[in-house]
């Protein structure tokens, strides 16, 4: 076995003596300089489970899991890559991972222009996930922001543009991708059953990938197409209450279905189809009546629930984006603590039905650094640390994030009606602070006592 938690030895007859049982570990050693601790012990458990999950799934590439799928899947890697940088302070593994998609002259068994869903790997059955190729474009743009490595992005320009050329063949008269080939994958939920003829979440992702490529390569035409695509999706997919997942071609006309999923709503907000300002009723509904406790309340049973990968994580991203950090704290515990307590790692699904140690799930580490500790963004190429301290039900929090051979350290504690904090950054770094605590914020030169 590649992995095990328990080993049970059976003898079918006779006496047996076993000696020297051992397991040789292959894991990432470069994650132990990172630190996180808070006055809420539950968050500390989540951080360690996230670290352990990343440690076992980021050795030479980003793997889905260290057991049955020791392979580098896109989509998942968008989330895993953020954590790898947070915990190690570098992007060496991510560069190797992305470079794998550059090195071959071509990819056998999949259409010319398509990027494999998983590589290095061979797919003689011809299966590919077009959505994962789009997530690849999004990750590549984030990689440039993390690393400053424009050379790799430029080297991959022909491959990215060839992908977009391939996909354009499937655009209908509205500019929407229709009847895509391959395994159209949204997430492990009912959403995967509503992927034809036009799948709106896929088109939301397509718009984001067009815009990302336009920014990376200075191609405003791609950005213009993304804007037009978002307009069309808003007009066709929103039924006045929710965004619907798909439309079917009937008698030459495209008709939206009544299929509605939770993740479709999160895709709409995450990829800029809508916002709390443009769709306030929908946002308030999602904020108040969806999330980890909806199963208990039974709200909106006609909207199929999301799964851990990746709807629940996109929900957490939206809570962060719109400043609901207190709610994010509680929901991250509800979503993940039972996993961490049971296996010490984080899972692919909300139940133990597949991998119980899945690389993308380590993303909670990124959430804890960004939204709880307050290291909102560490811009290494430009040497800027953006701090956002939120209104949270914690007495104190402290953490350390590696930056190559250096590190950034942040501590804060509640003091009276305000918050005291101290930050240490490498020489040459600028610090920008945003105060969302609701009280006075004071920087101190003395480390406050924690506990």
């Amino acid at each position: 076995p590649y992995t095990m938690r328990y080993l049970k030895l059976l003898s079918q007859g006779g006496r047996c003596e076993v000696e020297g049982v051992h397991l040789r570990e292959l894991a990432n050693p470069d994650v132990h300089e990172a630190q996180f601790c808070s006055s809420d012990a539950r968050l500390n458990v989540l951080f360690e489970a996230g670290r352990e999950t990343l440690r076992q799934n980021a050795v030479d590439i980003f793997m889905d899991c260290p057991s049955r799928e020791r392979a580098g899947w896109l989509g998942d890697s968008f989330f895993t890559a953020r954590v790898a940088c947070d915990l190690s302070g570098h992007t060496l593994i991510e560069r190797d991972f992305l470079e794998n998609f550059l090195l071959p002259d071509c990819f056998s068994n999949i259409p010319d222009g398509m990027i494999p869903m998983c590589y290095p790997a061979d797919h003689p059955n011809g299966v590919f996930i077009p959505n994962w190729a789009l997530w690849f474009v999004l990750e590549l743009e984030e990689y440039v922001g993390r690393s400053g490595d424009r050379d790799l992005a430029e080297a991959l320009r022909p491959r990215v543009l060839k992908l977009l050329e391939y996909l354009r063949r499937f655009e209908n008269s509205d500019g929407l991708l229709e009847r895509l080939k391959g395994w159209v994958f949204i997430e492990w939920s009912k959403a995967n059953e509503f992927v034809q003829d036009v799948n709106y979440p896929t088109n939301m992702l397509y718009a984001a990938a067009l815009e990302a490529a336009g920014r990376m390569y200075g191609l405003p035409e791609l950005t213009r197409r993304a804007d037009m695509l978002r307009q069309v999706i808003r007009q066709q997919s929103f039924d006045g209450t929710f965004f619907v997942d798909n439309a079917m071609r009937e008698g030459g006309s495209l008709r939206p279905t009544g299929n509605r999923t939770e993740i479709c709503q999160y895709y709409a907000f995450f990829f800029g189809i809508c916002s709390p300002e443009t769709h306030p009723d929908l946002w308030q509904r999602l904020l108040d009546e969806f999330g980890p406790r909806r199963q208990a309340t039974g709200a909106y049973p006609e909207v199929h629930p999301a799964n851990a990968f990746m709807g629940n994580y996109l929900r957490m991203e939206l809570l962060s984006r719109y400043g609901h950090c207190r709610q994010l704290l509680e929901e991250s515990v509800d979503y993940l603590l039972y996993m961490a307590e049971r296996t010490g790692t984080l899972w692919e699904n909300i139940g133990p039905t597949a991998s119980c140690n899945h690389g993308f799930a380590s993303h909670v580490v990124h959430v804890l650094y960004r939204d709880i500790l307050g290291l909102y963004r560490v811009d290494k190429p430009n040497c800027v640390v953006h701090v956002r301290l939120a209104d949270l039900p914690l007495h104190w929090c402290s953490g350390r994030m590696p930056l190559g051979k250096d590190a950034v350290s942040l501590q804060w504690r509640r003091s009276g009606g305000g918050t005291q904090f101290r930050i240490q950054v490498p020489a040459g770094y600028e610090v920008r602070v945003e105060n969302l605590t609701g009280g006075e914020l004071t920087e101190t030169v003395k480390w406050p006592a924690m506990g």
Side-chain angles (χ1 to χ4, degrees):
Y2 285 119
T3 63
M4 65 181 184
R5 188 176 185 192
Y6 306 107
L7 177 65
K8 185 176 183 179
L9 301 172
L10 303 176
S11 173
Q12 293 187 355
R15 298 182 63 181
C16 178
E17 187 171 312
V18 179
E19 295 180 347
V21 176
H22 71 278
L23 180 69
R24 178 173 292 171
E25 183 179 69
L26 181 65
N28 187 335
D30 200 15
V31 298
H32 298 294
E33 292 298 315
Q35 299 171 11
F36 175 91
C37 195
S38 78
S39 58
D40 189 334
R42 301 173 303 170
L43 303 183
N44 304 337
V45 171
L46 292 185
F47 183 85
E48 292 307 324
R51 189 208 307 263
E52 185 61 26
T53 300
L54 188 282
R55 192 177 77 90
Q56 295 187 36
N57 285 291
V59 184
D60 56 344
I61 59 172
F62 298 137
M63 299 187 300
D64 261 23
C65 55
S67 51
R68 61 179 172 83
E69 272 183 321
R70 300 174 62 82
W73 289 80
L74 293 171
D76 300 65
S77 64
F78 175 88
F79 300 90
T80 313
R82 291 177 170 182
V83 185
C85 185
D86 289 346
L87 289 179
S88 68
H90 59 70
T91 55
L92 297 178
I93 296 176
E94 185 175 21
R95 190 186 195 287
D96 287 347
F97 177 81
L98 294 175
E99 189 182 46
N100 284 331
F101 295 88
L102 167 68
L103 294 177
D105 294 330
C106 64
F107 299 107
S108 301
N109 305 312
I110 62 174
D112 186 35
M114 181 49 59
I115 293 172
M117 57 188 179
C118 174
Y119 199 82
D122 295 317
H123 300 282
N125 59 0
V127 176
F128 61 94
I129 302 178
N131 309 63
W132 271 198
L134 294 171
W135 280 101
F136 171 83
V137 179
L138 301 188
E139 182 184 343
L140 182 59
E141 185 185 32
E142 282 206 0
Y143 165 76
V144 174
R146 277 189 284 271
S147 65
D149 179 11
R150 284 213 55 86
D151 289 344
L152 183 59
E154 285 300 323
L156 280 161
R157 176 196 286 248
R159 193 138 279 175
V160 170
L161 297 185
K162 195 170 185 180
L163 165 69
L164 298 180
E165 287 175 14
Y166 166 81
L167 291 170
R168 194 158 197 182
R169 295 181 233 162
F170 296 90
E171 288 186 7
N172 62 21
S173 58
D174 295 324
L176 295 164
L177 296 176
E178 183 170 350
R179 296 182 181 177
L180 271 179
K181 304 294 184 184
W183 180 15
V184 181
F185 187 96
I186 307 302
E187 71 155 6
W188 289 123
S189 74
K190 196 75 172 178
N192 273 1
E193 299 180 19
F194 308 137
V195 297
Q196 296 293 353
D197 291 329
V198 169
N199 177 257
Y200 290 114
T202 297
N203 278 282
M204 296 169 187
L205 171 60
Y206 184 39
L210 286 170
E211 186 173 50
R215 285 191 298 258
M216 270 195 296
Y217 301 125
L219 298 172
E221 170 61 17
L222 297 182
T223 305
R224 185 189 66 81
R225 285 171 56 197
D227 290 339
M228 293 178 62
L229 189 55
R230 289 190 177 106
Q231 283 186 336
V232 172
I233 294 169
R234 276 191 290 270
Q235 292 166 0
Q236 293 188 13
S237 176
F238 190 63
D239 66 5
T241 306
F242 292 102
F243 285 88
V244 301
D245 278 61
N246 66 325
M248 301 298 293
R249 182 72 61 179
E250 299 175 1
S253 299
L254 198 63
R255 300 184 185 279
T257 68
N259 300 320
R260 300 186 290 187
T261 65
E262 184 177 354
I263 191 173
C264 181
Q265 318 313 309
Y266 299 151
Y267 264 60
F269 282 92
F270 187 74
F271 292 125
I273 307 302
C274 61
S275 70
E277 290 72 33
T278 64
H279 292 68
D281 292 341
L282 174 57
W283 174 246
Q284 202 62 46
R285 197 175 301 123
L286 294 173
L287 195 63
D288 296 340
E289 300 180 73
F290 282 71
R293 298 179 186 177
R294 182 165 75 105
Q295 186 174 2
T297 66
Y300 301 100
E302 74 280 8
V303 180
H304 301 286
N307 202 340
F309 184 63
M310 59 181 68
N312 294 347
Y313 278 76
L314 291 185
R315 177 180 175 86
M316 288 191 276
E317 288 303 279
L318 294 173
L319 292 176
S320 169
R321 180 183 297 179
Y322 299 121
H324 296 277
C325 295
R326 183 179 286 258
Q327 183 171 343
L328 173 55
L329 185 157
E330 293 301 332
E331 290 196 7
S332 63
V333 170
D334 289 342
Y335 277 133
L336 302 172
L337 185 61
Y338 68 94
M339 303 179 187
E341 291 177 339
R342 185 167 176 181
T343 64
T345 51
L346 303 172
W347 305 352
E348 179 178 9
N349 295 318
I350 57 177
T353 54
S355 164
C356 290
N357 183 356
H358 223 67
F360 88 92
S362 64
H363 193 262
V364 71
V365 166
H366 188 71
V367 170
L368 293 171
Y369 270 134
R370 179 188 62 196
D371 303 303
I372 307 303
L373 178 59
L375 289 176
Y376 189 68
R377 184 178 172 222
V378 179
D379 183 352
K380 296 170 189 174
N382 296 305
C383 298
V384 179
V385 176
H386 299 266
V387 174
R388 186 181 78 169
L389 296 178
D391 178 20
L392 297 169
L394 301 178
H395 300 299
W396 57 268
C397 190
S398 67
R400 182 177 188 272
M401 181 185 288
L403 296 178
K405 296 181 179 179
D406 294 308
V408 54
S409 297
L410 175 63
Q411 286 189 337
W412 58 260
R413 70 170 179 180
R414 300 292 184 216
S415 179
T419 302
Q420 285 186 312
F421 78 98
R422 178 177 172 176
I423 185 167
Q424 292 181 318
V425 299
Y429 269 75
E430 176 188 356
V431 178
R432 300 175 186 172
V433 180
E434 183 180 5
N435 180 12
L436 299 181
T437 64
E440 184 181 0
L441 190 63
T442 307
E443 185 172 7
T444 177
V445 296
K446 184 178 180 180
W447 286 108
M450 294 292 149

